[in-house]
Amino acid sequence: MLSFIAASIADGEALASLRVAAMRESLERIGRYDPQRARQRFLATFEPDYTWQLRHGDALAGFYVLRPHADYLLLDHLYLAPGCQRQGMGAAVLARVFAEADAAGKSVRVGALRGSEANRFYVRHGLVPDGEEEFDLYYRRAPAA
């Protein structure tokens, strides 16, 4: 059973550790794996008010961060622990995010590291390309009519 639990400031370190584990393979592939840097980048912008833990039973399975903007919601982070990937949890998060965005009449935007499996995941779930930078690709989904 997957549960969505609001994060607190005390969860920051555990979420940062999960992020490092989830991103390791993608970052190693492009020669940018630096666990300390990955932790610091997350903790520097961690805002519990926008962060949801994913719990599978009592275990931390992942988390996501959804930041509101004037005309869109930014899915700033979505990470699943390596042992929890490919089990439908990411799809459950997107369904929840899309429902929230549709109810608010807002688009969803998200970025993913080049070469990451996340790129195929987002396209499979209906997001379309919306720009790129040196290390990241960006996607969007318009609100449902």
Side-chain angles (χ1 to χ4, degrees), residues 110-125:
V110 65
L113 189 65
R114 280 186 193 276
S116 169
E117 293 289 322
N119 292 288
R120 282 194 292 254
F121 170 76
Y122 291 130
V123 170
R124 231 181 15 256
H125 287 278

Side-chain angles (χ1 to χ4, degrees), residues 4 42 50-52 54 63-69 72-79 89-98 100-101 106-113 118 121-122 125 127 137-141:
F4 297 87
F42 173 73
Y50 305 125
T51 306
W52 292 88
L54 308 174
F63 72 94
Y64 73 97
V65 176
L66 190 64
R67 297 181 194 279
H69 290 263
Y72 65 95
L73 298 179
L74 175 63
L75 182 56
D76 202 16
H77 298 283
L78 169 53
Y79 297 109
M89 292 181 201
V93 170
L94 287 186
R96 182 179 164 114
V97 167
F98 293 168
E100 184 174 335
K106 293 184 175 189
S107 295
V108 173
R109 294 192 174 192
V110 65
L113 189 65
F121 170 76
Y122 291 130
H125 287 278
L127 287 103
L137 301 174
Y138 297 95
Y139 301 91
R140 69 174 166 73
R141 177 193 175 269

